[in-house]
Amino acid sequence: MNLRFDIMIPELFLFGWAIVVLTADLFFIKEKKNALLYMSQFGFLAAAALVIFTPTGPNEVGFGYMFYNDTFASFFKIVILLAGFMAVSSSFEAVQKSIEHKGEFFGLVIMSAVGMMFLVSSTELVSLYVALELSTIPLFILTAFQKRYLKSSEAGLKYLILGALSSALLLYGMSFMYGMTGTTVLLAGSITMLLNSANVHYGLVLSLVLVVAGLGFKLALVPFHMWAPDVYEGAPTPITSYLSVASKAAGLAALTRIVYGFYTVGTAAEYWGILIAILAALAMIIGNFAALLQSNIKRMLAYSSIAQAGYILVGFVAASQLGLSGISIYIFAYLFANMGAFAIVVAVDHKLNSDRIEDYAGMARRSPLIAVCMTIFLLSLAGIPPTAGFIAKYKVFMAAIENGTLFWLVMIAVATTVVSIFYYARVIKEMFITEREVESSESKWILSSPITIAILVGLIGTLIIGIYPEPFLELASTVTQSFVY
Amino acid sequence: MDSSILTILTFLPILGVILIWLTGKENHSMIKIIAWAVTFIDFVLSLYIYFNFDAAESGFQFVYNVPWISHFGIQYAVGIDGISLWLVILTTFLGWLAVWSSWTAVKDRLKGYMVSLLILQTGMLGVFVSMDLFLFYVFWEVMLIPMYFLIGIWGGPRKIYATIKFVLFTMLGSLLMLVAILFIYFKSGGTTFSILELTRFCVTLPVSTQMWLFAAFGLAFAIKVPMFPFHTWLPDAHVQAPTAGSVILAGVLLKMGTYGFLRFCIPMFPQAFEQFIPAISVLAVIGIIYGALVAMVQKDVKSLVAFSSVSHMGFIMLGLTALNMQGMQGSILQMLNHGISTGALFMIVGMIYERRHTRMIAEFGGVFKSMPIWSTFFIIVALSSIGLPFTNGFVGEFLILTGTFGVAPVYAILGATGVILAACYMLWMIKRVLFGELTKDENKNLTDLKLFEKLVLVPFIIMIFWIGIYPSTFLNPMKTSVEKLIGDVTKYVKHTDIENEAEAFIPYNPHEPQTEEHADVRH
């Protein structure tokens, strides 16, 4: 047993910090509870700094193969921590208004991030499953946190039941994998070696379908997406944003670990390529078309995030170095744009008590800067230059075209992107074009500083990756090292 | 200076955006002055390029490139040749006048309006100077955003429908183009997006591949031109857009489609282009006649001008299919002409709309009596749009028809009916609006043009007669570049050959043996 606590320092720190935040709650008087928010912000940033300084590489494996700190893991940890940071920052208004147990709220967000960090580092089925549960159980609670709000409770319950179901499916699939290979380790194509000798093909397909279904729930892939719009709508908005980015990134990392880990990347595509390609196509089609019909911006963003998962999977199916780094850059771009957009949704919800798209009317007059920021985030989600989303889509399309057999998928991606522009543009239209009488009482909005930080981080990330993507592309291409092609 | 001038030219409007952003929202005159000054300096800079442009050089000039995203071999590479030179100047010219023409027309949210116009200008200039396919695509897409706002915010009653339709049409085409760009990138080895290198590579592709790529690029450009049957966004966008938006849209944005054909489709996929020539010619001719016929029955002056654009853009496409000196030069010149004439028409229509708040032909009649100066401008510009000799339209259309007649007389003859139809709809409209009895009271009290309105229109009039009387100023700088383009393309195309083209009007028969005198005219 190689007990490598040193490569686990960020996780251990953050876990400890969650306890600290929970405990600190007891010592602050009601008026001073904002300090908890700043503490959580600090925790996420400090953990991110620790992640950067923690060594990565093929030798950084600990606890059997349960914990592996490669560049892939640390990249996703940064994404998760940034998402956590932005979610916590954007929760300032929401927490003051409708969250009662503030210490638990922040503590659970941090705890969930710890689970996700373990998840992306797991190269072994058992630790992967445990980490997955650690990351989702806090989210069930967080979703239902506004307990006096009926939709929130409903969302929490739905999420819990479907989450449990998906975990069961996942576990079932994992048990097949273990049974057939005799190993739970997900390194270096452990199944590919067996494939030639033993006739276990169909069993593996079955196990893979179950695993994909299980993780499909977490990723809100069509047809496992039914919970997402309800949960996204009901959950407190900062949690929605956290769910839509961090949880998706972690789920994607788990899928990558399992599928690319059990197979080598190339052979994997032969077995599961078409399955995931179909899921990607469905996600893009259903996600985008359903988003067209939404009048609530949180539901619209929920469907849009379902569609975004589809675009990510296009890169995944391409099964190449380019594809994997495409996924990474996509997640990164999606992080900034989506978290930024949700931060603005929180702000609007706070000021207007409404999530309806039509209530965004006249925003450009009232607070032009917010309207411009929102526009940039939506353009990034739609993939229009010069934003991060364009670079990301570009790279994912690139990977699929390089693959050569995925033209049909690229065509679907292109067509649905056009559809997506329609609904993103609708929000822009409301903000800039639709006229609305602004009441005199609605003076210019002053946003709290944490939420302003969240919006700024999103804005800067979106524009920098969009205009000078070079360093991020370099970073994303190192992420793919630890997989065998 | 010479290497960075194109960068300065392209991004100067962004500087203007920053300055305007720093200005107070209510400080309208300051905003207008900044926008005016920036676009004017931009125009002067483009003239500097013209005076330092070496007409004998066929390749790109003022070239500047630095690695941008070296991960994919993407460069920030800009340059200009005889083909893009005039389009750049046209852009800065119209950009400047568009700002000027909005002086009194736009009062609501002026800041955003000027910002949109300036960003749009950067996008347009970027498209024309890019020598890197990725860079080109970025600029191509960036333009959409300000245009969306220009039509959407300051447009007419059906602005939302028009702007969404415009964006969706354009996006559909450009995303397919993106796929094609990426395909070429990988086929060529995945090291560069340089237009020159990819062009060298693409011509070696098998014809069947070229056909697909041509279709993907061509669709994006055909939507932008717009060629029949992809033109349906155009009347909506034109009619709903504010005056300056229409001017830019007709004057520059449409040219991007034809420029795309010239820069990408034709030189990159010459063999595919050869296969597509009949289809493009037929669509161009349909566009010419259809556009003219529909223009004739319009009740709204602005939509009449919009449909006349469909017709005129058909001429430009027809000239390209001729693949000879006259056709090509005629097309490029006609791009300029159309930008000037139609731009001026939209401004003139905008001026009367500001006074009367209607553009319905039936609402007017006898306006010449109350607004003689405006009417004179209107008549001159309308005649240039028809293509009267000594105006710019004549030179362009004549060259195009001559060029086309050499290779496909039938199309030339059919196309020529477009000129006649243009005379019909324009003159008929002029008659109904300007002449006859001054019956309506509202029209009796119209005030004629103010000084600044005259000043805006005068540059157009100068250009109309300059091109009409001495087109060599405009034809000479583009000559070597066009020759090179035709030379490059005809290497791969059997159906015409530059050596056989003569300056004069000589019906060309490909089966006829070459004669000496034909062969040497160009040398």
Side-chain angles (χ1 to χ4, degrees), chain B residues 132-308:
Chain B
D132 185 282
L133 209 45
F134 183 90
L135 188 67
F136 165 82
Y137 186 81
V138 168
F139 281 122
W140 176 272
E141 291 275 275
V142 162
M143 266 165 13
L144 269 185
I145 306 160
M147 206 62 217
Y148 171 83
F149 287 124
L150 275 177
I151 303 175
I153 299 180
W154 296 275
R158 293 176 69 227
K159 56 191 180 182
I160 289 164
Y161 171 77
T163 193
I164 283 282
K165 194 169 175 181
F166 167 73
V167 168
L168 292 185
F169 264 70
T170 316
M171 267 320 268
L172 184 65
S174 44
L175 281 168
L176 288 175
M177 178 167 76
L178 177 66
V179 174
I181 291 175
L182 289 172
F183 181 83
I184 295 172
Y185 171 73
F186 282 114
K187 275 277 169 183
S188 69
T191 51
T192 181
F193 278 94
S194 157
I195 291 173
L196 291 175
E197 284 179 42
L198 289 181
T199 307
R200 271 199 288 280
F201 166 76
C202 281
V203 292
T204 62
L205 287 171
V207 181
S208 55
T209 319
Q210 280 193 18
M211 297 278 277
W212 281 109
L213 294 170
F214 185 96
F217 273 81
L219 183 67
F221 300 139
I223 288 173
K224 205 81 174 187
V225 169
M227 277 171 77
F228 181 88
F230 309 110
H231 67 282
T232 58
W233 64 268
L234 179 123
D236 290 307
H238 266 352
V239 173
Q240 301 305 324
T243 300
S246 303
V247 171
I248 299 286
L249 195 59
V252 186
L253 258 64
L254 305 191
K255 307 303 171 301
M256 287 180 179
T258 40
Y259 173 75
F261 275 102
L262 266 170
R263 175 72 76 224
F264 302 104
C265 279
I266 298 176
M268 278 184 166
F269 321 112
Q271 284 144 313
F273 177 60
E274 192 193 6
Q275 307 284 321
F276 273 104
I277 281 179
I280 296 177
S281 309
V282 168
L283 289 179
V285 169
I286 293 178
I288 294 173
I289 297 172
Y290 167 86
L293 288 176
V294 180
M296 206 171 308
V297 297
Q298 294 306 310
K299 296 188 179 75
D300 181 325
V301 186
K302 206 171 180 186
S303 51
L304 184 144
V305 180
F307 276 104
S308 83

Side-chain angles (χ1 to χ4, degrees), chain A residues 289-407:
Chain A
F289 277 97
L292 285 178
L293 308 171
Q294 305 307 317
S295 58
N296 179 305
I297 194 152
K298 280 167 82 177
R299 287 186 81 88
M300 188 206 91
L301 286 173
Y303 280 109
S304 120
S305 81
I306 290 169
Q308 300 285 350
Y311 294 110
I312 294 174
L313 285 191
V314 173
F316 193 83
V317 182
S320 61
Q321 211 142 4
L322 199 57
L324 255 175
S325 59
I327 294 176
S328 316
I329 198 90
Y330 203 109
I331 279 282
F332 219 47
Y334 173 69
L335 157 81
F336 289 118
N338 216 42
M339 296 304 290
F342 267 114
I344 291 176
V345 173
V346 177
V348 174
D349 185 25
H350 175 67
K351 300 284 178 186
L352 299 179
N353 265 326
S354 167
D355 290 329
R356 290 189 319 161
I357 294 175
E358 61 203 57
D359 286 329
Y360 281 68
M363 178 102 104
R365 272 189 202 278
R366 197 184 305 120
S367 10
L369 278 180
I370 294 183
V372 168
C373 290
M374 187 67 166
T375 305
I376 290 172
F377 295 140
L378 293 173
L379 290 178
S380 182
L381 289 173
I384 291 176
T387 58
F390 170 66
I391 301 288
K393 271 213 175 96
Y394 190 76
K395 192 149 189 205
V396 165
F397 286 5
M398 208 176 203
I401 290 170
E402 184 200 41
N403 180 288
T405 56
L406 293 171
F407 254 113

Side-chain angles (χ1 to χ4, degrees), chain B residues 226-404:
Chain B
M227 277 171 77
F228 181 88
F230 309 110
H231 67 282
T232 58
W233 64 268
L234 179 123
D236 290 307
H238 266 352
V239 173
Q240 301 305 324
T243 300
S246 303
V247 171
I248 299 286
L249 195 59
V252 186
L253 258 64
L254 305 191
K255 307 303 171 301
M256 287 180 179
T258 40
Y259 173 75
F261 275 102
L262 266 170
R263 175 72 76 224
F264 302 104
C265 279
I266 298 176
M268 278 184 166
F269 321 112
Q271 284 144 313
F273 177 60
E274 192 193 6
Q275 307 284 321
F276 273 104
I277 281 179
I280 296 177
S281 309
V282 168
L283 289 179
V285 169
I286 293 178
I288 294 173
I289 297 172
Y290 167 86
L293 288 176
V294 180
M296 206 171 308
V297 297
Q298 294 306 310
K299 296 188 179 75
D300 181 325
V301 186
K302 206 171 180 186
S303 51
L304 184 144
V305 180
F307 276 104
S308 83
S309 285
V310 177
S311 179
H312 285 138
M313 294 309 284
F315 273 107
I316 298 174
M317 288 310 296
L318 188 63
L320 294 184
T321 60
L323 250 188
N324 53 27
M325 265 323 258
Q326 294 97 324
M328 286 273 179
Q329 281 201 321
S331 284
I332 299 171
L333 192 67
Q334 188 64 9
M335 288 189 209
L336 225 70
N337 294 340
H338 178 257
I340 292 164
S341 302
T342 311
L345 277 177
F346 276 124
M347 279 188 191
I348 288 169
V349 174
M351 286 167 185
I352 192 80
Y353 182 76
E354 249 183 275
R355 289 169 169 74
R356 278 284 271 113
H357 298 286
T358 178
R359 293 183 299 248
M360 291 297 149
I361 296 173
E363 291 288 316
F364 298 103
V367 180
F368 195 92
K369 292 190 185 80
S370 50
M371 294 177 74
I373 301 173
W374 177 77
S375 306
T376 313
F377 278 120
F378 198 176
I379 293 169
I380 295 173
V381 176
L383 290 177
S384 89
S385 174
I386 297 168
L388 195 77
F390 289 122
T391 62
N392 58 354
F394 175 74
V395 184
E397 282 173 8
F398 184 78
L399 280 172
I400 289 171
L401 291 175
T402 316
T404 318

Side-chain angles (χ1 to χ4, degrees), chain A residues 365 394 398 425 432-433 467 470, chain B residues 68-70 109 148 152 193:
Chain A
R365 272 189 202 278
Y394 190 76
M398 208 176 203
F432 282 89
I433 300 175
I467 292 168
E470 181 79 29
Chain B
W68 177 24
I69 309 174
S70 38
R109 297 206 241 174
Y148 171 83
F193 278 94

Side-chain angles (χ1 to χ4, degrees), chain B residues 19-41:
Chain B
L19 289 177
I20 289 179
W21 186 50
L22 296 173
T23 314
K25 195 159 48 175
E26 303 306 322
N27 196 348
H28 278 196
S29 48
M30 191 63 191
I31 292 172
K32 282 189 266 194
I33 288 167
I34 293 173
W36 189 92
V38 164
T39 46
F40 180 68
I41 296 172

Side-chain angles (χ1 to χ4, degrees), chain B residues 459-494:
Chain B
F460 286 106
I461 303 296
I462 295 174
M463 293 309 288
I464 285 173
F465 286 115
W466 191 342
I467 302 180
I469 293 167
Y470 193 67
S472 301
T473 321
F474 301 87
L475 292 175
N476 286 341
M478 68 173 83
K479 198 170 132 193
T480 37
S481 294
V482 176
E483 257 169 16
K484 178 171 176 291
L485 173 70
I486 297 176
D488 287 347
V489 171
T490 40
K491 262 189 272 176
Y492 302 94
V493 178
K494 285 146 262 141

